Amino acid sequence: MKQDLTIRALTRKAHNLWDRYVDSHQHGSFFHLTGWIHVIQDVFGHQPHYLFAQQGEQIVGVLPLFEQKSLLFGHALISTPFCVYGGALADQDDIRRELENAAYDLACDLNVDYIELRDSHEHPCESPWFRHCHHATFKNTLALPAEDLLSGIKRKQRAVIRHAQKNNLSWDAKDNPALCFELYAESVRNLGTPVFPPALFQTLKDTFGSSCETLVVRDVQGQPVSGVLSFYYKNQVLPYYGGGTQAARDLKSNDFMYYQLMLIAKERGAELFDFGRSKINSGAYHYKKHWGMEEQPLHYRMALVRAKRPPNLSPNNPKYRYFIRAWQNLPMGLSKQIGPMLSKYLG
């Protein structure tokens, strides 16, 4: 370790310094920002353990961490739950390693089952870390005019979008987190997944302001059929929580929505469309591949502390099969009551 390097726990007065560091770091992502402390602690009740490296008066590295503790799903330290990217950012590799060593020591002190780093870019695997990623993300450069943007999409998906454009769909990008959440909640219930607390979408909007926007698509009768909550950061747009009603499939309104979001984002100055992570070979994974975007594996790492083997919280795990089928048949109201008690540990 460099002689004057210290690893410290983040305090409230250093939030602005942390965020400025993330803004300036080439790998700094939206999910490294301190706003997530408020979102995850207030909505899900998980304890933050943010660490930063300091030399003199300067921050030279950051590592956001949250502790999740559940009798059903285990005890973990994660960077960062409910987020695609996380892990350490640092000026140099030796500083990053010191942050990761401090995080592992913290995991041991907390006696967790494991610690997971959702690195935003690839790092070498050194003991006690090992690769633990079964997800990919998809990215696409945004082009104008609109026809150039459309021509960058695979031919079959272009046909789907053109079909959707004939369905008299309308859209608006007014701030409407509550409506967007309702559409998302119905969608995830239909997939057999517990929904997040309703407060999540409004809290994200309140926390991140103009960097968080919703887009809602309506059918010819004016009924909402699809919605997505997106983040804007640096030169990117990240559609993060999207879904639709049963009618969305026939109307192709989700396809219409994501294409419209590309147009809106480009007008806002975004240059990159980050479609988010999906489990490899899942339905969402294949849907995104149809758009012809660049697939990038996610370089997550893990270290075991108390656990003897890595956890398997995937919906493809056979032990969750009957639970998923039962959940798909729950009334919407009941799924929204029970879901938040489970989903808080599935980030």
Side-chain angles (χ1 to χ4, degrees):
M1 185 193 299
K2 293 184 181 294
Q3 230 174 5
D4 59 344
L5 184 72
T6 56
I7 307 296
R8 301 183 183 279
L10 181 66
T11 60
R12 182 67 186 87
K13 66 180 182 180
H15 280 202
N16 288 338
L17 293 174
W18 176 298
D19 286 340
R20 284 202 292 271
Y21 183 81
V22 172
D23 291 342
S24 64
H25 197 285
Q26 64 172 332
H27 297 300
S29 76
F30 186 78
F31 305 105
H32 285 93
L33 296 173
T34 58
W36 288 95
I37 295 176
H38 168 59
V39 172
I40 295 177
Q41 189 170 32
D42 286 10
V43 176
F44 299 103
H46 301 315
Q47 181 66 32
H49 296 277
Y50 276 41
L51 303 176
F52 70 92
Q54 187 174 23
Q55 275 184 318
E57 298 300 315
Q58 298 296 315
I59 289 181
V60 293
V62 299
L63 176 51
L65 292 157
F66 281 90
E67 182 183 3
Q68 288 185 336
K69 193 171 187 179
S70 162
L71 290 175
L72 186 59
F73 299 108
H75 187 190
L77 196 60
I78 302 176
S79 176
T80 305
F82 310 100
C83 296
V84 175
Y85 310 121
L89 304 174
D91 287 5
Q92 299 170 10
D93 276 346
D94 58 344
I95 298 173
R96 172 186 56 80
R97 283 191 288 269
E98 291 299 335
L99 279 166
E100 292 172 355
N101 289 342
Y104 183 76
D105 289 344
L106 174 62
C108 293
D109 290 343
L110 294 172
N111 202 29
V112 301
D113 297 322
Y114 63 92
I115 175 173
E116 181 184 35
L117 303 180
R118 297 180 179 177
D119 297 314
S120 55
H121 58 295
E122 188 172 10
H123 293 304
C125 257
E126 302 160 343
S127 180
W129 306 101
F130 59 90
R131 293 261 176 256
H132 183 71
C133 184
H134 308 286
H135 296 84
T137 188
F138 294 82
K139 298 183 180 182
N140 191 45
T141 301
L142 297 174
L144 276 182
E147 280 306 309
D148 289 348
L149 198 156
L150 193 59
S151 66
I153 297 169
K154 275 189 174 180
R155 181 176 56 83
K156 288 185 178 180
Q157 186 60 34
R158 286 202 306 271
V160 173
I161 293 169
R162 289 191 171 115
H163 174 75
Q165 290 172 327
K166 298 176 183 177
N167 287 333
N168 297 311
L169 299 171
S170 60
W171 63 272
D172 73 69
K174 300 172 185 174
D175 289 331
N176 202 335
L179 176 56
C180 198
F181 175 80
E182 291 299 319
L183 293 163
Y184 175 77
E186 180 172 344
S187 181
V188 296
R189 189 283 310 268
N190 293 341
L191 292 171
T193 303
V195 72
F196 294 130
L200 175 61
F201 281 28
Q202 188 62 56
T203 303
L204 286 166
K205 179 61 187 175
D206 292 343
T207 302
F208 295 111
S210 61
S211 296
C212 175
E213 286 192 354
T214 59
L215 175 64
V216 172
V217 174
R218 300 174 187 271
D219 64 17
V220 67
Q221 284 83 33
Q223 294 299 309
V225 287
S226 293
V228 61
L229 181 145
S230 304
F231 303 130
Y232 287 85
Y233 186 63
K234 295 183 177 177
N235 67 335
Q236 304 175 50
V237 60
L238 302 95
Y240 208 63
Y241 294 119
T245 65
Q246 292 283 12
R249 177 172 293 184
D250 290 338
L251 290 170
K252 311 299 181 188
S253 56
N254 286 350
D255 306 273
F256 176 90
M257 174 179 70
Y258 289 122
Y259 177 62
Q260 187 60 49
L261 178 61
M262 291 179 184
L263 297 176
I264 294 170
K266 186 60 183 177
E267 294 219 349
R268 274 193 54 160
E271 299 171 358
L272 192 68
F273 187 91
D274 185 333
F275 219 164
R277 75 172 186 176
S278 293
K279 188 171 180 62
I280 293 171
N281 288 326
S282 66
Y285 170 88
H286 289 295
Y287 174 74
K288 293 172 184 179
K289 281 186 73 74
H290 289 159
W291 285 76
M293 297 183 184
E294 180 186 356
E295 178 184 348
Q296 299 179 1
L298 290 171
H299 306 288
Y300 295 175
R301 290 176 297 153
M302 181 176 288
L304 301 181
V305 180
R306 291 181 63 248
K308 302 300 182 186
R309 62 183 64 86
N312 183 4
L313 302 179
S314 167
N316 295 332
N317 187 334
K319 75 177 184 179
Y320 298 132
R321 185 179 305 147
Y322 297 109
F323 172 83
I324 290 171
R325 288 178 184 169
W327 198 270
Q328 288 170 324
N329 293 314
L330 280 181
M332 269 303 302
L334 187 57
S335 72
K336 285 193 286 188
Q337 284 183 338
I338 303 173
M341 293 184 284
L342 299 172
S343 64
K344 63 184 292 186
Y345 303 111
L346 299 177

